[in-house]
Amino acid sequence: MELLEKDLMSIQEVRLLLKKAKEAHKILATFNQEKIDRIVKAIAEASLQNAERLAKMANEETGFGIWQDKVVKNVFGSMGIYEAIKDQKTVGILREDKENKTMEIGIPVGIVAGIIPSTNPTSTIMYKTLISIKGGNCIVFSPHPGAKNCILETVKVVSEAAEAAGCPKGAISCITIPTLQATNELMKHPDTKLILATGGYAMVKAAYSSGTPAIGVGAGNGPAFIDKTANVKLAVKHIMDSKTFDNGTICASEQSVIVERCMEQAVREELIAQGGFFLNEEESKKLAGFILRANGTMNPQIVGKSVAQISKLAGLTGVPASARVLIAKESRVGDDAPYSREKLAPILAFFVEETIEDVIDKVVEILSFEGMGHTFSMHCNNDDLIKRFALRAPASRILVNTMGSLGGIGGSTNLFPALTLGCGAVGGSSSSNNIGPMDLINIKRVAFGIKELEDLRNNAANLLGDTKSSNNSPYCNVNTELVEEIVKRIMKQLI
Ligand SMILES: CC(=O)SCCNC(=O)CCNC(=O)[C@H](O)C(C)(C)COP(=O)(O)OP(=O)(O)OC[C@H]1O[C@@H](n2cnc3c(N)ncnc32)[C@H](O)[C@@H]1OP(=O)(O)O
């Protein structure tokens, strides 16, 4: 009974937030680029000023990650994003092509539903607010229940800053009673025009099934390949820095290292030299039992935890204090091989294959099992091989000679900076982009007439004439009589 009341209250709250957002959007939709940009700047600056406080709050509340790294994420989620979007034209007339006689006009989609994960809660609020408002949209957030307080506090910071800069009240808001019913109501409500879903499998699936257009981030599970041509020391440094950043909570971080047999020894030695701890068979089995929970999804007990915390949890007594990442040798991929899954923790699988072709096949197998369309990293100085992998790997981001986590989000690469990484059609997502304001607007196109029917007829006749006269024509093997007959009939229809 109590639960039902809570659910009803949360649904009512969502309806109220949407009503206010709708009112706010009527005003926001009239704002020109200059007014929008002023608000966006204020949001970024307020987020930056509160980066450390909010990072500490997120770490304390969720128990995930490292607060100092969350500061870096908050700075990235505020000023990093701002620098990339500040000069974008997003509302009003975007482009006028006098020569081709077309014009493009940016139109906000309206109200965005922002689903926020517990792994990157505060930085994702900053980022989603910035890209939504930049597109002239309102946003209503659904917080992960495990990060509700730090999320609400961040929403307070960004909404107050936005309002002080002229943003209408109600344009940025957040559910305070996070229930599944409330989140579903938000996603399915006709006033919600787009869902930006970042989170666990169930939540992203619910977003796709809601009937509202959704951009979702599925699971990551990126393997990292180290080739013979790589600088092994640097490659391992990149992987270790990436995997330990915020204790591995970024979904683009590496989940396995994969090498050819001839590289096994060198890579293994370098991993150990840089703080990798290879688990023996018994230790590997012990830890495997903690990677997933009973329902087959990632176990929050290991998410964003340090090696010391994970070792204690799994009763691994032989792990030295200097260990930075736990590594388990693996050869199988599947539900019965937990190390082949996504582990948002400093835990890596280590795959060894006989040939390059075997490596490519294994990369495809791993990503096809989990992480489809997300991210793949490789450390390699052979351009042909990079192209070969890039053409085959079912990932929207192929990262070369960089950290997976920070490379995927556009921190250590020139990818568009983002904390929501589209996984493309193969990953069930409507976009393969690093999501930005241009993904949150529609474009109206104005097109002036440039041809009359006679021009089209003449053009068709000319093309057919060319077809007859030129042996080099791509149509020379075509049955021209038949084509003429078809064109005649089409013209008759047109007349
Ligand atoms: C660029 C990037 O790095 S994006 C990273 C995004 N990736 C992720 O967040 C990783 C995927 N997340 C997960 O696997 C999990 O969320 C974990 C392991 C991190 C945390 O696990 P948990 O704390 O148990 O959270 P989980 O997501 O399973 O949800 C717990 C409950 O809250 C509910 N919940 C989650 N989000 C919401 C929401 N927005 N509103 C309402 N309820 C929610 C879930 O439905 C679930 O309910 P249930 O217990 O009744 O089934």
Side-chain angles (χ1 to χ4, degrees):
M1 185 60 195
E2 201 193 330
L3 188 70
L4 192 64
E5 255 176 46
K6 188 182 170 197
D7 293 341
L8 285 173
M9 272 170 62
S10 66
I11 291 172
Q12 275 166 5
E13 184 189 31
V14 169
R15 290 182 184 155
L16 189 64
L17 294 178
L18 282 170
K19 195 167 167 237
K20 287 184 180 166
K22 205 172 170 184
E23 288 305 310
H25 195 252
K26 280 186 195 152
I27 304 167
L28 196 65
T30 66
F31 283 14
N32 62 17
Q33 193 73 63
E34 199 189 333
K35 272 183 162 179
I36 292 279
D37 288 352
R38 204 176 311 134
I39 300 168
V40 167
K41 186 165 189 259
I43 294 168
E45 285 173 351
S47 300
L48 182 69
Q49 279 159 18
N50 288 276
E52 184 172 325
R53 182 173 72 86
L54 294 170
K56 285 180 178 163
M57 264 191 92
N59 177 238
E60 273 164 29
E61 186 178 2
T62 62
F64 295 160
I66 302 168
W67 75 260
Q68 289 88 341
D69 289 344
K70 288 190 183 293
V71 176
V72 176
K73 279 205 240 186
N74 284 346
V75 172
F76 174 82
S78 53
M79 290 321 275
I81 306 295
Y82 177 69
E83 283 303 321
I85 66 175
K86 66 177 199 259
D87 296 325
Q88 283 183 330
K89 270 190 169 185
T90 48
V91 296
I93 295 170
L94 307 182
R95 267 175 297 274
E96 214 176 333
D97 185 341
K98 290 232 158 76
E99 199 180 321
N100 291 304
K101 296 201 162 195
T102 58
M103 191 160 74
E104 292 179 353
I105 297 172
I107 301 291
V109 292
I111 300 172
V112 175
I115 314 296
I116 303 298
S118 49
T119 44
N120 311 312
T122 53
S123 49
T124 307
I125 292 283
M126 295 168 185
Y127 153 72
K128 286 191 180 177
T129 305
L130 285 170
I131 63 169
S132 296
I133 297 292
K134 177 73 186 186
N137 303 295
C138 294
I139 184 155
V140 178
F141 288 111
S142 161
H144 187 287
K148 189 183 92 169
N149 296 332
C150 64
I151 287 172
L152 282 170
E153 185 58 23
T154 314
V155 173
K156 187 167 177 277
V157 166
V158 292
S159 57
E160 283 178 0
E163 282 164 27
C167 187
K169 229 177 160 48
I172 305 159
S173 63
C174 186
I175 295 170
T176 62
I177 316 164
T179 65
L180 263 185
Q181 285 73 9
T183 306
N184 282 332
E185 177 71 13
L186 175 65
M187 295 197 291
K188 288 184 177 164
H189 199 284
D191 287 340
T192 300
K193 297 301 175 197
L194 186 73
I195 305 168
L196 267 183
T198 319
Y201 171 78
M203 199 44 74
V204 172
K205 193 157 180 265
Y208 287 143
S209 319
S210 66
T212 305
I215 299 175
V217 186
N221 193 24
F225 165 53
I226 304 180
D227 182 48
K228 293 187 280 290
T229 59
N231 173 339
V232 174
K233 205 178 178 106
L234 187 58
V236 168
K237 179 183 186 302
H238 283 150
I239 293 169
M240 297 299 277
D241 286 350
S242 169
K243 192 61 179 167
T244 52
F245 182 75
D246 204 30
N247 283 338
T249 53
I250 293 186
C251 53
S253 61
E254 299 83 350
Q255 304 301 319
S256 51
V257 172
I258 183 162
V259 294
E260 271 180 284
R261 175 80 56 207
C262 59
M263 290 296 287
E264 178 179 4
Q265 197 54 28
V267 170
R268 182 186 273 268
E269 280 169 13
E270 194 55 45
L271 281 166
I272 293 168
Q274 295 195 36
F277 180 80
F278 276 83
L279 300 164
N280 64 30
E281 212 171 309
E282 191 196 337
E283 290 166 333
S284 175
K285 264 194 194 147
K286 263 191 182 173
L287 180 58
F290 288 86
I291 292 178
L292 305 173
R293 51 186 152 177
N295 66 4
T297 61
M298 204 185 331
N299 181 2
Q301 287 179 296
I302 60 154
V303 171
K305 299 291 191 305
S306 66
V307 162
Q309 287 169 306
I310 295 167
S311 302
K312 194 168 169 217
L313 176 77
L316 306 176
T317 48
V319 179
S322 58
R324 297 169 69 204
V325 173
L326 301 171
I327 306 171
K329 184 100 189 274
E330 187 51 275
S331 56
R332 295 164 312 133
V333 175
D335 282 324
D336 58 343
Y339 290 102
S340 70
R341 299 276 306 264
E342 182 183 34
K343 308 160 290 299
L344 295 179
I347 302 172
L348 282 169
F350 188 60
F351 288 94
V352 179
E353 301 296 322
E354 297 308 321
T355 65
I356 282 289
E357 202 49 38
D358 294 339
V359 172
I360 297 180
D361 287 346
K362 189 60 93 182
V363 164
V364 174
E365 188 186 351
I366 292 169
L367 287 169
S368 303
F369 171 63
E370 188 171 49
M372 202 55 167
H374 207 295
T375 303
F376 164 65
S377 304
M378 61 189 294
H379 301 269
C380 176
N381 287 303
N382 173 344
D383 286 349
D384 289 337
L385 195 63
I386 292 168
K387 285 179 190 149
R388 211 167 128 197
F389 269 83
L391 286 166
R392 286 276 310 278
S396 304
R397 280 152 287 275
I398 316 288
L399 307 173
V400 184
N401 298 335
T402 189
M403 296 165 280
S405 54
L406 294 153
I409 62 172
S412 64
T413 60
N414 269 327
L415 291 179
F416 194 83
L419 287 162
T420 293
L421 311 178
C423 293
V426 288
S429 178
S430 59
S431 171
S432 56
N433 293 346
N434 278 18
I435 304 303
M438 302 314 281
D439 297 290
L440 306 185
I441 63 166
N442 289 151
I443 295 178
K444 267 202 271 195
R445 290 183 172 83
V446 180
F448 293 82
I450 52 163
K451 282 176 191 164
E452 299 302 331
L453 179 59
E454 291 75 18
D455 301 322
L456 297 171
R457 276 186 189 149
N458 290 340
N459 189 34
N462 284 343
L463 276 174
L464 282 167
D466 283 354
T467 307
K468 277 190 198 161
S469 63
S470 164
N471 283 339
N472 294 330
S473 161
Y475 305 112
C476 63
N477 292 326
V478 170
N479 178 341
T480 48
E481 276 174 18
L482 182 65
V483 174
E484 271 180 350
E485 181 56 33
I486 292 168
V487 171
K488 259 188 215 156
R489 284 189 197 179
I490 292 170
M491 284 183 172
K492 257 190 201 160
Q493 289 286 329
L494 285 173
I495 294 160

